[in-house]
């Protein structure tokens, strides 16, 4: 989660650990890279997307898993990953919510997530609002 270089507005992280890989994680990563035009580990010239493969993000029961700005969606297929990238490009939501990603683009969940989290991610950098770090330039 630590980045040496800046990332795009939307950091799309695709799990490629064993459970996700066995259930199509590599195909999801390929779909994201193809739809965004951004290879794994790179950022688009317009800085809209950064794409990366990641190791286990704790959603093995809902594999394959994808995160956008660290907000999770489980059971993502290559077609749904493409649709998610188109949605991000066209709508450019200010805030990304995991529950919204899951409803729009997810499939099987590993477990019931519990109460909805209303704030979501506003940047691709994990931050803590009470500490005044949200939205600062990286």
């Amino acid at each position: 989660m630590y980045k040496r270089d800046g990332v795009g507005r939307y950091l799309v992280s695709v799990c490629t650990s064993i459970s996700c890989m066995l259930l199509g994680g590599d195909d999801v990563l390929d779909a994201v890279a193809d739809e965004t035009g951004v290879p794994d580990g790179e950022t688009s010239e317009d800085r809209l997307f950064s794409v990366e493969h990641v190791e286990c993000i704790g959603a093995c029961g809902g594999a394959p898993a994808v995160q956008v700005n660290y907000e999770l969606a489980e059971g993502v297929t290559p077609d749904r990953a493409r649709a998610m990238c188109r949605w991000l490009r066209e709508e450019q939501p200010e805030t990304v919510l995991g529950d919204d990603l899951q409803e729009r683009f997810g499939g099987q969940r590993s477990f019931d997530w519990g109460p909805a989290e209303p704030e979501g991610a506003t940047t691709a950098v994990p931050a803590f609002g009470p500490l005044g770090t949200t939205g600062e330039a990286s």
Side-chain angles (χ1 to χ4, degrees):
M1 291 177 69
Y2 295 103
K3 308 293 186 229
R4 291 180 175 217
D5 300 313
V7 295
R9 179 172 179 183
Y10 302 112
L11 174 62
V12 182
S13 308
V14 181
C15 182
T16 56
S17 287
I18 190 72
S19 296
C20 289
M21 183 271 295
L22 289 172
L23 292 170
D26 290 334
D27 295 332
V28 172
L29 178 61
D30 289 343
V32 168
D34 184 58
E35 188 65 39
T36 62
V38 180
D40 177 24
E42 300 291 329
T43 298
S44 61
E45 286 185 26
D46 64 2
R47 304 198 59 77
L48 187 62
F49 290 104
S50 291
V51 175
E52 66 179 358
H53 77 277
V54 293
E55 293 305 312
C56 186
I57 52 179
C60 299
V66 175
Q67 291 179 323
V68 176
N69 296 352
Y70 302 103
E71 294 287 326
L72 179 67
E74 299 178 85
V76 179
T77 65
D79 288 341
R80 288 181 175 175
R82 286 178 181 279
M84 179 186 66
C85 293
R86 286 190 301 271
W87 175 74
L88 290 168
R89 182 183 299 111
E90 293 165 8
E91 299 296 322
Q92 295 193 21
E94 184 69 29
T95 302
V96 177
L97 296 167
D99 290 323
D100 190 31
L101 289 177
Q102 183 66 34
E103 184 178 317
R104 290 173 184 266
F105 310 108
Q108 177 67 41
R109 285 185 173 173
S110 56
F111 57 89
D112 181 11
W113 291 357
E117 196 275 305
E119 292 183 18
T122 58
T123 68
V125 180
F128 301 96
L131 299 177
T133 60
T134 304
E136 291 181 3
S138 56

